Amino acid sequence: MKSIMQTLTVGLGDRSYPIHIGSGLLPQAELLKPHIPRKRVAIVTNTTVAPLYLAQLQQTLESIGVTSISVILPDGEVYKTSDTLNLIYDALLQNRCERSTPLIALGGGVIGDMTGYAAATYLRGVPFIQIPTTLLSQVDSSVGGKTGINHPLGKNMIGAFYQPRVVLADTDTLNTLPDNELAAGMAEVIKYGLIRDLPFLEWLEHNMDALLARNTTALQYAIARSCQNKADVVAADERETGERALLNLGHTFGHAIESGMGYGNWLHGEAVAAGTVMAADLSRRLGWITDADVARVREVLVRAHLPVISPDLGVEKYMGYMGLDKKVEAGKIRFVLLQSIGRAVVYGDAPAALLEATLKACVE
Ligand code: NAD
Ligand code: GLY
């Protein structure tokens, strides 16, 4: 089936921006042109994505008379650091990039988050364009303006809210994505169903095989529906003073797994999946959902080829990392939990004994 481009909008007043989703978008210069004020851009990518898509993007830009400098970073979550961020600043300064020079992130969430933070801070802010090339970045990280880097003591601890001017999600780029990375993105797709969109969860339960087989129509539908959910949440609560925190289902546990296992050893989406099972387990212990609900959560994640058992870091280590979570308030860890399947809440009063039971029961 032929796919047609869909365009959604993140509604943020005069900072509103389009998300274009579809196949064959990378060669379409007119989608980028309105967001490039002068005839020069800086593309930030990595050693894996550059050989795949950099020349194509450069060609698209050249077709509208735009020249580019390229910053090619090492690949991996382990490089989402201040040292790597400095490589971006070095290149921008060496090439005398100006306030009107947009930064284009070409890659997954690691490149998107770091490039966005560089755009937010270089010369106190330059235009930013997202061209996400992983499922995870197309459904989540490229939308909503969270940018940043990791700190050895905690994930994504340094950053800024800084919105892109446009998001270009070309589904063709997913054809080169390894299977485990596609699965990792599915964890964030499933998240939208679990927290606020039960009909979407049901659709995912019926269409998981088509998604994993990379059926273009199914993928485009899942990406657009995910982005619509995210756009709605971000438009209502850009700076996460309320509802946006729900997008962190599984992330408090998941970030502890990522930090505790060493960045890059568990993919972000894998850690979120195992963390989502922990959140479901804790919700059940609170009496909010049933055993059958927890089984349903596990089942959809297993069908997406995601891990549902967390590593046994020990209760103390989990508590240490989770105590650094950005949702902590007055020293209390606030979890995103399920009141029912399709409805999440933020909850800071989970009894210590129940939390400890979850941290012991969901690990191996
Ligand atoms: P990633 O950026 O590390 O990309 C995964 C791997 O796929 C990398 O090796 C990358 O080089 C490679 N790759 C990228 N595109 C490819 C393609 N088309 N073909 C082949 N290989 C390709 O990981 P990710 O899952 O995209 O993103 C995870 C990051 O996103 C984490 O750092 C996480 O904290 C962050 N994140 C941010 C937000 C946000 O709102 N800003 C939301 C969710 C996750
Ligand atoms: N990925 C969580 C958020 O953007 O808020």
Side-chain angles (χ1 to χ4, degrees):
M1 254 183 282
K2 192 172 161 11
S3 81
I4 298 162
M5 184 179 87
Q6 281 165 272
T7 299
L8 310 175
T9 302
V10 183
L12 289 168
D14 60 3
R15 290 176 298 115
S16 296
Y17 55 92
I19 310 167
H20 302 299
I21 303 159
S23 131
L25 303 193
L26 212 44
Q28 295 190 33
E30 66 278 13
L31 299 175
L32 294 173
K33 197 175 175 185
H35 310 285
I36 300 176
R38 305 256 183 283
K39 295 282 178 193
R40 193 167 183 240
V41 300
I43 303 167
V44 182
T45 185
N46 71 23
T47 48
T48 303
V49 179
L52 295 170
Y53 302 110
L54 180 58
Q56 202 178 340
L57 177 58
Q58 286 168 329
Q59 211 178 325
T60 301
L61 292 164
E62 278 161 22
S63 75
I64 47 169
V66 173
T67 60
S68 56
I69 65 148
S70 305
V71 188
I72 301 175
L73 302 176
D75 181 13
E77 183 74 36
V78 76
Y79 294 108
K80 195 177 169 184
T81 61
S82 52
D83 284 349
T84 314
L85 182 69
N86 258 324
L87 297 177
I88 306 179
Y89 297 136
D90 290 347
L92 298 177
L93 286 164
Q94 280 156 10
N95 287 281
R96 295 178 185 276
C97 291
E98 301 174 355
R99 272 210 174 127
S100 59
T101 310
L103 296 199
I104 302 183
L106 176 69
V110 170
I111 286 295
D113 281 12
M114 276 198 296
T115 307
Y117 190 51
T121 47
Y122 180 68
L123 304 182
R124 300 199 179 91
V126 297
F128 173 40
I129 292 172
Q130 284 270 22
I131 304 188
T133 61
T134 61
L135 179 61
L136 187 140
S137 56
Q138 294 189 353
V139 298
D140 192 350
S141 63
S142 64
V143 174
K146 278 191 183 174
T147 71
I149 55 172
N150 296 331
H151 186 279
L153 291 180
K155 178 105 179 119
N156 293 337
M157 282 296 155
I158 318 296
F161 286 99
Y162 195 68
Q163 301 293 342
R165 303 281 174 105
V166 59
V167 179
L168 199 73
D170 185 337
T171 53
D172 290 349
T173 61
L174 302 181
N175 292 332
T176 53
L177 198 63
D179 287 343
N180 64 333
E181 296 289 356
L182 189 78
M186 217 57 83
E188 305 280 15
V189 174
I190 291 167
K191 169 186 83 178
Y192 295 112
L194 289 173
I195 62 169
R196 71 193 303 275
D197 191 350
L198 185 56
F200 184 36
L201 182 73
E202 287 161 357
W203 183 90
L204 289 169
E205 288 169 333
H206 285 108
N207 290 278
M208 191 54 76
D209 294 344
L211 289 167
L212 294 181
R214 303 177 196 232
N215 174 291
T216 312
T217 311
L219 274 175
Q220 182 168 334
Y221 177 79
I223 294 165
R225 183 105 178 204
S226 299
C227 286
Q228 188 63 63
N229 271 293
K230 181 139 191 193
D232 290 347
V233 172
V234 169
D237 179 24
E238 183 185 9
R239 294 204 159 230
E240 200 168 304
T241 54
E243 186 188 355
R244 184 163 182 171
L246 301 182
L247 296 174
N248 287 314
L249 177 69
H251 285 60
T252 305
F253 296 108
H255 284 166
I257 295 171
E258 284 185 86
S259 303
M261 295 301 284
Y263 296 128
N265 286 315
W266 273 57
L267 299 182
H268 175 72
E270 292 172 342
V272 166
T276 297
V277 174
M278 286 179 139
D281 182 84
L282 185 53
S283 310
R284 179 187 60 82
R285 287 174 198 277
L286 284 160
W288 296 356
I289 61 172
T290 63
D291 285 341
D293 291 331
V294 179
R296 185 176 177 185
V297 172
R298 292 170 67 98
E299 169 70 14
V300 69
L301 294 167
V302 166
R303 287 203 43 221
H305 300 169
L306 285 161
V308 289
I309 299 173
S310 296
D312 192 0
L313 302 176
V315 172
E316 211 173 301
K317 209 163 169 185
Y318 267 108
M319 292 305 289
Y321 283 114
M322 294 194 304
L324 282 172
D325 189 81
K326 289 186 282 304
K327 289 183 297 305
V328 168
E329 245 176 43
K332 260 191 192 172
I333 305 173
R334 295 158 69 238
F335 291 96
V336 180
L337 299 176
L338 295 174
Q339 276 205 322
S340 59
I341 300 293
R343 183 152 182 267
V345 291
V346 178
Y347 191 64
D349 288 319
L354 296 191
L355 178 56
E356 195 174 323
T358 289
L359 292 173
K360 286 181 173 162
C362 297
V363 300
E364 187 175 86

